[in-house]
Amino acid sequence: MPSHLTTSHGPTPAPPPSTGYRKLLRTTEFSGLYVSFTLTAAAGALSGIALGTLVDRQTGSPFLTAVSMYGATFAAVLGALTLMSVADGKRPRRTLLLLQLASLAGVCAQAVPELPLAARFALLLFLGFFQSLGTGARLGLLAEVVPAAGYAPARSLMNITAGGTAILGYAGGAVLLRYAGHQGVFAVAACLTALGAAVVAATVREHSVRLARRPGLRQTWRANAELFAHPGRRALLLALWVPNGLIVGCEALLISYDPAHAGTFLAAGSAGMLAGDLLVGRVLTAARRRRHAFVLRLLLAAPFLLFAVHPPAPVLAVAVFVAGAGFAATLPLQERLLELTPEAIRGQVQGVESAGRMTCQGLGAAIAGGLAQYLGAGAAIALAAAASLAVTLLTRPFRPASGDRPR
């Protein structure tokens, strides 16, 4: 795909100032996307802890528990490979609404009492497929409704909210499980998903990304081929996917490692992610974000090595908090990826990035869960963290050229 931008060999102009959170929230469409995302994230946290504890009680298997919490991510790659081009279709708002309703149907089905575990795992794949397409549509709309200088702060705010929502979701889910049971938690998650769809319908107008061809399987493959043909984008995707996925594998074992303190650990990780995104997305400039990306990627994995020596729970909670801050490394990498992406396929590229990251998270959970079956949860967490560090060190030589442009 030819570039619509020209490469300048003159001095690089100073970047425009970042758009603040308050200014973004005063935009009705961004507020709608933001609130809908928050409600969807809350529903996901509630569903995750409900299903994870249900599977742990019924099977006692670390592998199945880990997969149940992050199994929806396995199907995300199917969305990226087949229909992700719908994110850049002529009516992305309508697409997002339909995908939200499909997710609602899946969450409602999880609330059915005495549903067999096989059916629950099938629903996870169903949800993962439609959620990956919904993410692409949502991020494509996000790039349309905020200015270029506001993209990183917008993603930062959404990540911060995801962290805060996860804290409340895990804490609230633990309380709801005691009083309402698993079906009650799933029912609350369904209500939040429905409300998220209603917010989009009421606040977001239709946008057109003006695809030259009709969205579908062929267009998805064509744009994906163009995405992976660019060496800078390939390197960015590797850095975004693999270290992150392995650390999510560590988090997927927290219930198996210490069921009594798992809620505290998960909340600590979400709090660290919130703090990291706030600092990196709001305080640091774009240049400083890029300079600190490598250190943040190291910070993401190193604290999990402590699980090999089994220190007290408060020490591990602090370690998980610190590691959570390392997830903010995704912000400068995502910002750079957007710069290297033509406008006409931004939704699909961001959807592929998100789907690939989710898929690697699912693989990380499965790998860590499989290791835990034989080595124990603590040793498996430490091994996954060491592998994440190794990938980060191996990808350190990557430095995107200043003259790279979308093509």
Side-chain angles (χ1 to χ4, degrees):
M1 183 180 295
S3 172
H4 65 285
L5 299 175
T6 57
T7 302
S8 172
H9 299 283
T12 301
S18 296
T19 303
Y21 293 155
R22 291 183 181 180
K23 184 176 181 180
L24 286 170
L25 290 171
R26 285 196 293 267
T27 304
T28 301
E29 288 188 285
F30 173 74
S31 295
L33 289 173
Y34 169 74
V35 171
S36 172
F37 167 79
T38 302
L39 294 168
T40 303
L46 290 174
S47 297
I49 194 169
L51 187 58
T53 54
L54 178 64
V55 172
D56 184 60
R57 291 176 185 177
Q58 291 188 6
T59 68
S61 167
F63 173 76
L64 291 178
T65 301
V67 171
S68 69
M69 292 188 69
Y70 297 97
T73 61
F74 286 116
V77 69
L78 298 178
L81 293 176
T82 57
L83 296 177
M84 189 59 75
S85 59
V86 302
D88 294 309
K90 292 183 177 180
R91 295 187 176 182
R93 172 186 175 273
R94 183 180 65 177
T95 300
L96 179 58
L97 285 173
L98 292 174
L99 294 169
Q100 284 274 103
L101 293 176
S103 295
L104 173 61
V107 177
C108 288
Q110 288 283 21
V112 175
E114 306 302 327
L115 190 69
L117 284 181
R120 294 193 184 278
F121 281 105
L123 283 171
L124 279 179
L125 297 178
F126 171 86
L127 287 169
F129 179 80
F130 287 104
Q131 286 172 355
S132 69
L133 300 181
T135 297
R138 190 187 308 277
L139 294 177
L141 281 167
L142 179 65
E144 290 279 305
V145 304
V146 302
Y151 178 79
R155 290 296 296 266
S156 169
L157 181 57
M158 295 175 83
N159 290 346
I160 289 169
T161 302
T165 302
I167 295 171
L168 296 175
Y170 290 133
V175 174
L176 283 172
L177 281 171
R178 294 180 183 179
Y179 297 100
H182 298 90
Q183 275 64 49
V185 176
F186 284 129
V188 173
C191 291
L192 294 176
T193 303
L195 187 56
V199 169
V200 171
T203 60
V204 180
R205 64 183 177 86
E206 195 61 271
H207 290 259
S208 176
V209 189
R210 298 178 300 279
L211 261 182
R213 298 184 180 182
R214 174 181 294 183
L217 183 62
R218 180 176 297 180
Q219 177 63 23
T220 298
W221 286 0
R222 179 173 177 269
N224 284 348
E226 180 64 28
L227 167 63
F228 289 101
H230 190 289
R233 289 195 289 258
R234 284 201 307 269
L236 283 168
L237 291 174
L238 176 64
L240 280 160
W241 290 350
V242 180
N244 181 302
L246 289 167
I247 296 308
V248 169
C250 296
E251 294 180 338
L253 292 178
L254 293 177
I255 291 178
S256 299
Y257 178 84
D258 187 349
H261 295 97
T264 300
F265 294 155
L266 289 168
S270 298
M273 185 168 61
L274 186 155
D277 280 309
L278 179 61
L279 174 64
V280 174
R282 189 69 186 95
V283 177
L284 300 184
T285 63
R288 294 180 67 189
R289 283 195 290 268
R290 292 185 186 180
R291 285 199 299 269
H292 290 86
F294 177 70
V295 174
L296 287 168
R297 290 167 64 199
L298 293 178
L299 192 67
L300 174 66
F304 279 102
L305 297 175
L306 287 174
F307 279 82
V309 296
H310 305 285
V315 174
L316 291 178
V318 173
V320 174
F321 173 86
V322 173
F327 278 108
T330 60
L331 281 174
L333 299 178
Q334 288 168 341
E335 197 172 26
R336 183 60 182 164
L337 181 64
L338 186 69
E339 292 176 2
L340 297 178
T341 301
E343 290 183 5
I345 58 170
R346 279 183 172 179
Q348 178 172 342
V349 169
Q350 291 178 94
V352 168
E353 182 272 319
S354 178
R357 187 155 35 88
M358 292 171 62
T359 301
C360 284
Q361 289 172 1
L363 290 173
I367 291 169
L371 289 173
Q373 292 282 137
Y374 300 98
L375 303 176
I381 290 172
L383 281 175
S388 178
L389 282 173
V391 173
T392 293
L393 291 171
L394 289 172
T395 57
R396 185 182 185 183
F398 167 67
R399 294 288 187 273
S402 60
D404 283 350
R405 291 292 187 269
R407 63 181 187 178

